[in-house]
Amino acid sequence: MSKFFERAYGTTDQDAVQDLYEDWAATYDDDVIENGYETPGRCAAALAEFLSPPDTPIFDFACGTGLSGAALASLGFSVIDGADISEAMLAIAAKRGIYRNLRHVAPEDPPGIAPGQYGAIAAMGALSPGAAPAHYFGWLLSGLAPGGLLVLSYNDHTLSDPSYTGALAEALKAGAVRQRFKEHGDHIVKLGSKSTIYVLEKL
Protein backbone atom coordinates (compact mmCIF):
# COMPACT_ATOMS: atom_id res chain seq x y z
CA MET A 1 0.00 0.00 0.00
CA SER A 2 1.26 3.47 -0.83
CA LYS A 3 2.71 5.39 2.11
CA PHE A 4 0.52 8.33 1.11
CA PHE A 5 -2.70 6.66 2.26
CA GLU A 6 -1.40 6.60 5.83
CA ARG A 7 -0.34 10.23 5.57
CA ALA A 8 -3.75 11.22 4.22
CA TYR A 9 -5.58 9.68 7.17
CA GLY A 10 -3.14 11.08 9.72
CA THR A 11 -2.76 14.67 8.51
CA THR A 12 -5.07 17.51 9.51
CA ASP A 13 -2.97 20.70 9.57
CA GLN A 14 -3.79 22.45 6.30
CA ASP A 15 -0.21 23.36 5.42
CA ALA A 16 0.73 19.71 5.94
CA VAL A 17 -2.25 18.64 3.80
CA GLN A 18 -0.97 20.86 1.00
CA ASP A 19 2.50 19.31 1.29
CA LEU A 20 0.97 15.83 1.21
CA TYR A 21 -0.82 16.38 -2.09
CA GLU A 22 2.12 18.18 -3.65
CA ASP A 23 4.25 15.14 -2.80
CA TRP A 24 1.60 12.66 -3.95
CA ALA A 25 0.71 14.30 -7.28
CA ALA A 26 3.02 12.25 -9.51
CA THR A 27 1.69 8.86 -8.36
CA TYR A 28 -1.77 9.74 -7.04
CA ASP A 29 -3.80 8.51 -10.02
CA ASP A 30 -1.96 5.18 -10.20
CA ASP A 31 -2.19 4.65 -6.45
CA VAL A 32 -5.93 5.23 -6.11
CA ILE A 33 -6.98 3.63 -9.40
CA GLU A 34 -4.98 0.46 -8.70
CA ASN A 35 -6.73 0.19 -5.35
CA GLY A 36 -10.22 0.55 -6.82
CA TYR A 37 -11.22 4.17 -6.25
CA GLU A 38 -15.00 4.09 -6.75
CA THR A 39 -16.18 7.36 -5.18
CA PRO A 40 -15.79 9.73 -8.18
CA GLY A 41 -17.81 7.48 -10.47
CA ARG A 42 -20.48 6.98 -7.81
CA CYS A 43 -20.73 10.72 -7.17
CA ALA A 44 -20.96 11.60 -10.86
CA ALA A 45 -23.65 8.98 -11.44
CA ALA A 46 -25.66 10.26 -8.47
CA LEU A 47 -25.47 13.84 -9.69
CA ALA A 48 -26.50 12.79 -13.20
CA GLU A 49 -29.76 11.40 -11.80
CA PHE A 50 -30.87 14.88 -10.79
CA LEU A 51 -28.96 17.48 -12.82
CA SER A 52 -29.91 18.66 -16.29
CA PRO A 53 -29.03 20.10 -18.72
CA PRO A 54 -25.50 18.71 -19.06
CA ASP A 55 -24.04 22.18 -19.72
CA THR A 56 -24.99 23.38 -16.23
CA PRO A 57 -21.77 24.88 -14.82
CA ILE A 58 -20.28 22.62 -12.13
CA PHE A 59 -17.65 23.63 -9.59
CA ASP A 60 -15.34 20.71 -8.80
CA PHE A 61 -14.02 21.57 -5.33
CA ALA A 62 -10.61 20.13 -4.39
CA CYS A 63 -10.41 18.62 -7.86
CA GLY A 64 -6.87 17.31 -7.39
CA THR A 65 -5.53 15.64 -10.53
CA GLY A 66 -8.95 15.76 -12.15
CA LEU A 67 -10.26 12.25 -11.54
CA SER A 68 -13.48 13.79 -10.24
CA GLY A 69 -13.82 16.04 -13.28
CA ALA A 70 -13.11 13.10 -15.58
CA ALA A 71 -15.94 11.16 -13.93
CA LEU A 72 -18.30 14.10 -14.55
CA ALA A 73 -17.13 14.55 -18.14
CA SER A 74 -17.61 10.84 -18.85
CA LEU A 75 -21.34 11.32 -18.17
CA GLY A 76 -21.64 14.27 -20.52
CA PHE A 77 -21.16 17.24 -18.21
CA SER A 78 -19.36 19.82 -20.28
CA VAL A 79 -18.81 22.99 -18.20
CA ILE A 80 -16.57 22.18 -15.25
CA ASP A 81 -14.43 24.56 -13.19
CA GLY A 82 -11.98 23.29 -10.59
CA ALA A 83 -9.88 24.47 -7.68
CA ASP A 84 -7.31 22.82 -5.44
CA ILE A 85 -4.56 23.63 -2.94
CA SER A 86 -1.95 21.60 -4.85
CA GLU A 87 -0.40 23.28 -7.85
CA ALA A 88 1.26 20.00 -8.88
CA MET A 89 -2.11 18.25 -8.99
CA LEU A 90 -3.71 21.15 -10.85
CA ALA A 91 -1.02 20.85 -13.54
CA ILE A 92 -2.08 17.23 -14.10
CA ALA A 93 -5.77 18.17 -14.10
CA ALA A 94 -5.12 20.82 -16.76
CA LYS A 95 -3.65 18.22 -19.11
CA ARG A 96 -6.98 16.36 -19.18
CA GLY A 97 -8.52 19.17 -21.23
CA ILE A 98 -11.90 18.88 -19.51
CA TYR A 99 -11.90 21.98 -17.29
CA ARG A 100 -13.12 25.40 -18.37
CA ASN A 101 -11.14 27.08 -15.58
CA LEU A 102 -8.73 25.86 -12.92
CA ARG A 103 -7.37 27.88 -10.04
CA HIS A 104 -5.10 27.43 -7.06
CA VAL A 105 -6.43 28.26 -3.61
CA ALA A 106 -4.35 28.62 -0.47
CA PRO A 107 -5.01 26.35 2.52
CA GLU A 108 -7.82 27.64 4.75
CA ASP A 109 -8.90 30.23 2.16
CA PRO A 110 -12.51 30.27 0.90
CA PRO A 111 -12.98 28.44 -2.40
CA GLY A 112 -13.27 31.72 -4.30
CA ILE A 113 -16.78 31.39 -5.69
CA ALA A 114 -19.46 34.05 -5.58
CA PRO A 115 -22.76 33.47 -3.74
CA GLY A 116 -25.14 31.59 -5.99
CA GLN A 117 -22.57 31.25 -8.77
CA TYR A 118 -23.08 27.56 -9.61
CA GLY A 119 -25.98 25.28 -10.42
CA ALA A 120 -23.99 22.33 -9.10
CA ILE A 121 -20.96 21.75 -6.90
CA ALA A 122 -19.04 18.51 -6.49
CA ALA A 123 -16.96 17.67 -3.42
CA MET A 124 -15.77 14.13 -4.08
CA GLY A 125 -13.63 12.96 -1.19
CA ALA A 126 -12.88 16.62 -0.56
CA LEU A 127 -14.51 17.28 2.81
CA SER A 128 -12.55 15.06 5.16
CA PRO A 129 -9.81 14.98 7.77
CA GLY A 130 -6.70 14.97 5.63
CA ALA A 131 -8.41 17.14 3.03
CA ALA A 132 -10.69 20.16 3.59
CA PRO A 133 -12.02 21.10 7.05
CA ALA A 134 -15.72 20.83 7.83
CA HIS A 135 -16.36 24.58 7.67
CA TYR A 136 -15.94 24.41 3.89
CA PHE A 137 -19.38 22.79 3.79
CA GLY A 138 -21.03 26.15 4.46
CA TRP A 139 -18.83 27.94 1.96
CA LEU A 140 -19.80 25.48 -0.74
CA LEU A 141 -23.51 25.84 0.01
CA SER A 142 -23.22 29.61 -0.32
CA GLY A 143 -21.83 29.17 -3.84
CA LEU A 144 -24.94 27.29 -4.97
CA ALA A 145 -27.86 29.01 -6.62
CA PRO A 146 -31.28 28.25 -5.11
CA GLY A 147 -32.29 24.84 -6.39
CA GLY A 148 -28.65 24.01 -7.05
CA LEU A 149 -27.20 20.61 -6.21
CA LEU A 150 -24.25 19.64 -4.05
CA VAL A 151 -22.89 16.13 -4.50
CA LEU A 152 -20.45 15.11 -1.83
CA SER A 153 -18.93 12.04 -0.27
CA TYR A 154 -18.02 11.29 3.33
CA ASN A 155 -15.76 8.28 3.70
CA ASP A 156 -16.02 6.18 6.86
CA HIS A 157 -13.14 8.12 8.44
CA THR A 158 -15.11 11.32 7.89
CA LEU A 159 -18.40 9.85 9.06
CA SER A 160 -16.77 9.21 12.45
CA ASP A 161 -15.92 12.91 12.84
CA PRO A 162 -18.84 14.90 14.32
CA SER A 163 -17.66 18.19 12.82
CA TYR A 164 -18.45 16.88 9.32
CA THR A 165 -21.62 14.97 10.12
CA GLY A 166 -22.77 17.87 12.28
CA ALA A 167 -22.39 20.40 9.46
CA LEU A 168 -24.61 18.26 7.24
CA ALA A 169 -27.16 17.57 10.00
CA GLU A 170 -27.37 21.26 10.87
CA ALA A 171 -28.03 22.28 7.26
CA LEU A 172 -30.76 19.67 6.96
CA LYS A 173 -32.36 20.65 10.27
CA ALA A 174 -32.28 24.35 9.39
CA GLY A 175 -34.01 23.69 6.08
CA ALA A 176 -31.07 25.07 4.10
CA VAL A 177 -30.99 21.91 1.97
CA ARG A 178 -33.02 18.82 1.32
CA GLN A 179 -31.52 15.41 0.73
CA ARG A 180 -32.23 14.03 -2.72
CA PHE A 181 -29.95 11.00 -2.56
CA LYS A 182 -27.94 8.98 -0.05
CA GLU A 183 -26.02 5.75 -0.65
CA HIS A 184 -23.32 3.93 1.28
CA GLY A 185 -20.92 1.89 -0.85
CA ASP A 186 -17.36 1.30 -1.92
CA HIS A 187 -14.79 4.05 -1.56
CA ILE A 188 -11.42 2.38 -2.15
CA VAL A 189 -12.10 -1.29 -2.71
CA LYS A 190 -8.72 -2.87 -1.94
CA LEU A 191 -8.44 -0.90 1.29
CA GLY A 192 -11.87 -2.09 2.35
CA SER A 193 -13.04 1.48 2.82
CA LYS A 194 -16.55 2.75 2.20
CA SER A 195 -18.14 6.14 1.63
CA THR A 196 -21.59 7.66 1.74
CA ILE A 197 -22.65 9.71 -1.27
CA TYR A 198 -25.15 12.53 -0.81
CA VAL A 199 -26.94 14.78 -3.28
CA LEU A 200 -28.32 17.87 -1.56
CA GLU A 201 -30.57 20.50 -3.07
CA LYS A 202 -30.22 24.07 -1.84
CA LEU A 203 -33.55 25.54 -0.70
Side-chain angles (χ1 to χ4, degrees), residues 136-183:
Y136 276 84
F137 182 90
W139 281 341
L140 295 179
L141 284 186
S142 73
L144 277 178
L149 299 174
L150 171 63
V151 59
L152 75 153
S153 66
Y154 281 172
N155 62 29
D156 287 342
H157 186 54
T158 306
L159 289 166
S160 69
D161 186 324
S163 65
Y164 292 92
T165 55
L168 172 56
E170 182 178 340
L172 289 166
K173 183 177 179 180
V177 297
R178 68 167 171 149
Q179 185 173 286
R180 301 290 302 275
F181 179 90
K182 179 181 178 181
E183 178 192 69

Side-chain angles (χ1 to χ4, degrees), residues 70-190:
L72 292 166
S74 73
L75 295 181
F77 294 112
S78 58
V79 184
I80 308 168
D81 297 333
D84 200 85
I85 63 172
S86 168
E87 292 184 289
M89 286 198 163
L90 285 170
I92 296 170
K95 293 178 181 178
R96 296 182 185 275
I98 58 176
Y99 288 96
R100 179 178 65 174
N101 295 302
L102 286 167
R103 63 179 174 275
H104 177 255
V105 293
E108 293 289 358
D109 278 0
I113 52 179
Q117 182 175 350
Y118 286 95
I121 293 176
M124 304 184 189
L127 297 174
S128 176
H135 60 257
Y136 276 84
F137 182 90
W139 281 341
L140 295 179
L141 284 186
S142 73
L144 277 178
L149 299 174
L150 171 63
V151 59
L152 75 153
S153 66
Y154 281 172
N155 62 29
D156 287 342
H157 186 54
T158 306
L159 289 166
S160 69
D161 186 324
S163 65
Y164 292 92
T165 55
L168 172 56
E170 182 178 340
L172 289 166
K173 183 177 179 180
V177 297
R178 68 167 171 149
Q179 185 173 286
R180 301 290 302 275
F181 179 90
K182 179 181 178 181
E183 178 192 69
H184 194 67
D186 287 329
H187 175 47
I188 302 178
V189 175
K190 290 185 179 179

